[in-house]
Amino acid sequence: MLSEKPGPIGIFDSGYGGLTVLHGFRRLLPQYDYLYLGDNARAPYGTRSFGVVYEFTRQAVMKLFSMGCHLVILGCNTASAKALRTIQQNDLPQIDASRRVLGIIRPTAEVIGSLTDTRHVGVLATEGTIRSESYTLEIRKLFPDIKVTGVACPFWVPLVEYNECDSPGADYFVKKRIDQLMSLDPRIDAIILGCTHYPLLMPKILKYATPGVRIVSQGEYVADSLRDYLSRHPDMDSKCAKGGRVEYLTTEDPDKFREAAQMFLHEPVEVSRCVLP
């Protein structure tokens, strides 16, 4: 039986990148409690099949529900692309119709119309997110006139997680993918960073991006979207505990998570290990 008491807002990611989403939430909405779950033992999700990503994501959502969360944010573009719709449409009505699971692709798609003048937008993301065409589909629903071009960046996540953001190798791989994207469509004037790891590469991205091209990082827009959602749904807002507390869970070694988390959050964290089915 799931608890009906107010609980934390759950944030799930396959790894560490969702910490950039959590950081945005804490800056804008510091009064809420948050529970972060990273499935680091099974990361990365980017190259996994739709079925596997769905099953892993469902397990994580159920874990967060069992720990008191009424609202879960998939702070992972791959999970948002490959699992969100199925969980919303098929699982929630059976689990508990009052609980909610939201993704991070839709909020970014909603704002992109105001961030491009040429109506040509680029997406840099993992292979799984690009293959799913989720950004293209969401943006076209809202802005049929916008042309979307995506390029997968398979080495960018390892660069971040192995703390190689400042290395010469990072220069090579960042420049290569940005050049590839702009060669496909030179009219692009806004690039969505469709992976929550990528903001840590921002200095390199800005270095090699075409002057005048806007780089769209998800954190602030997703946080704005959550604030708007909670203001429009006071019933859900009342189920979100407000004590300003944050708890971290990982399916991997807590020491490893703790070290990586400091790179994303610039503060020490306490983390516990959990097991998913």
Side-chain angles (χ1 to χ4, degrees):
M1 185 70 178
L2 297 175
S3 173
E4 292 304 316
K5 296 179 181 178
I9 296 172
I11 302 168
F12 169 66
D13 186 22
S14 59
Y16 305 106
L19 293 169
T20 61
V21 175
L22 172 61
H23 180 66
F25 291 164
R26 291 176 65 196
R27 287 182 62 184
L28 190 65
L29 302 164
Q31 69 272 31
Y32 291 90
D33 290 357
Y34 298 98
L35 176 56
Y36 184 92
L37 170 56
D39 189 13
N40 307 87
R42 301 189 291 195
Y45 281 15
T47 57
R48 294 188 182 272
S49 69
F50 274 73
V52 169
V53 172
Y54 159 69
E55 186 57 37
F56 287 179
T57 304
R58 185 183 186 280
Q59 291 170 4
V61 167
M62 289 302 299
K63 180 69 174 179
L64 290 167
F65 283 168
S66 74
M67 297 186 73
C69 299
H70 295 266
L71 173 64
V72 173
I73 311 296
L74 302 185
C76 172
N77 283 275
T78 302
S80 296
K82 294 185 174 183
L84 177 63
R85 190 175 301 276
T86 303
I87 289 173
Q88 288 176 331
Q89 296 180 351
N90 296 352
D91 294 312
L92 286 182
Q94 300 178 40
I95 298 167
D96 183 342
S98 71
R99 296 184 189 252
R100 293 289 179 269
V101 180
L102 305 176
I104 58 175
I105 292 176
R106 177 80 181 193
T108 312
E110 288 174 344
V111 300
I112 199 63
S114 64
L115 302 178
T116 173
D117 295 321
T118 65
R119 317 307 279 175
H120 288 247
V121 170
V123 179
L124 297 171
T126 65
E127 182 182 341
T129 299
I130 294 298
R131 199 185 312 122
S132 74
E133 296 191 334
S134 295
Y135 275 99
T136 301
L137 295 171
E138 288 294 337
I139 292 171
R140 281 179 181 167
K141 286 179 194 174
L142 300 166
F143 309 104
D145 62 315
I146 291 181
K147 178 184 177 183
V148 182
T149 303
V151 165
C153 307
F155 293 102
W156 286 23
V157 169
L159 283 170
V160 172
E161 297 205 344
Y162 285 99
N163 201 17
E164 295 289 335
C165 294
D166 297 323
S167 70
D171 285 85
Y172 173 80
F173 287 112
V174 169
K175 183 178 188 302
K176 180 178 181 179
R177 296 309 176 189
I178 291 176
D179 288 350
Q180 180 185 353
L181 179 65
M182 297 307 296
S183 69
L184 291 172
D185 185 358
R187 295 192 64 198
I188 287 172
D189 69 346
I191 297 175
I192 295 170
L193 302 184
C195 174
T196 49
H197 282 70
Y198 294 177
L200 273 74
L201 289 164
M202 188 65 80
K204 303 290 190 190
I205 294 169
L206 293 173
K207 179 179 178 180
Y208 294 110
T210 303
V213 172
R214 184 192 295 263
I215 306 300
V216 182
S217 183
Q218 294 173 296
E220 62 179 293
Y221 301 109
V222 175
D224 282 337
S225 179
L226 177 60
R227 179 174 61 180
D228 179 64
Y229 177 85
L230 291 171
S231 70
R232 290 185 291 105
H233 297 85
D235 54 329
M236 179 56 73
D237 184 68
S238 68
K239 297 176 182 177
C240 297
K242 300 175 182 67
R245 293 179 291 270
V246 187
E247 185 178 352
Y248 300 90
L249 299 173
T250 178
T251 58
E252 242 278 10
D253 175 56
D255 289 336
K256 184 178 178 182
F257 183 95
R258 193 177 297 112
E259 181 180 344
Q262 286 192 246
M263 182 171 58
F264 283 82
L265 299 174
H266 308 293
E267 66 181 24
V269 303
E270 290 301 317
V271 59
S272 303
R273 186 172 183 269
C274 75
V275 177
L276 295 179

